[in-house]
Amino acid sequence: MDLKDAVEVIIKSFSSGDCFDSHTVIDELRNNSEYSDVYIHGIKADESIKAYHSRIACLIRDSSLVESVQDSGSDLLIKTKNVHGNLTLNHVWKLKS
């Protein structure tokens, strides 16, 4: 299983209409033994954690399984904690019905 496959499996584990952000998926990659090796080995030698997590967010965004949650015609952004415990703005996604 590669990183893209792991992200897709995690997304498919949500119920239709469930909302989530990239940190939800990253947390599952990091902490679920089914995906943790994929997460650990998915980072490139010269890639920062921030860039790696951004790449994971792009895999979510580009997935045909999800759509962005809208608020007054704009993508909904929420603040959630990253792996360093800092609050950051993130897009909210939902599994397509």
Side-chain angles (χ1 to χ4, degrees), residues 1-94:
M1 176 182 308
D2 66 10
L3 184 62
K4 182 178 180 183
D5 293 335
V7 168
E8 295 276 324
V9 169
I10 292 167
I11 290 170
K12 287 178 183 176
S13 74
F14 297 124
S15 296
S16 179
D18 279 355
C19 295
F20 58 93
D21 72 343
S22 61
H23 290 147
T24 305
V25 175
I26 291 165
D27 189 60
E28 188 69 7
L29 285 167
R30 291 178 62 232
N31 296 309
N32 185 318
S33 61
E34 188 174 342
Y35 316 112
S36 58
D37 284 345
V38 173
Y39 174 80
I40 291 167
H41 298 293
I43 192 166
K44 298 174 183 174
D46 61 344
E47 191 173 34
S48 68
I49 293 293
K50 183 176 181 178
Y52 182 39
H53 287 181
S54 179
R55 186 160 52 93
I56 293 169
C58 288
L59 290 173
I60 298 166
R61 178 199 66 207
D62 296 342
S63 171
S64 63
L65 301 171
V66 303
E67 58 191 3
S68 64
V69 175
Q70 299 289 303
D71 180 34
S72 302
S74 298
D75 289 352
L76 180 63
L77 300 174
I78 59 169
K79 286 187 178 182
T80 56
K81 289 188 177 184
N82 64 19
V83 296
H84 303 292
N86 300 318
L87 288 173
T88 59
L89 273 176
N90 295 279
H91 289 269
V92 179
W93 309 100
K94 69 178 178 178

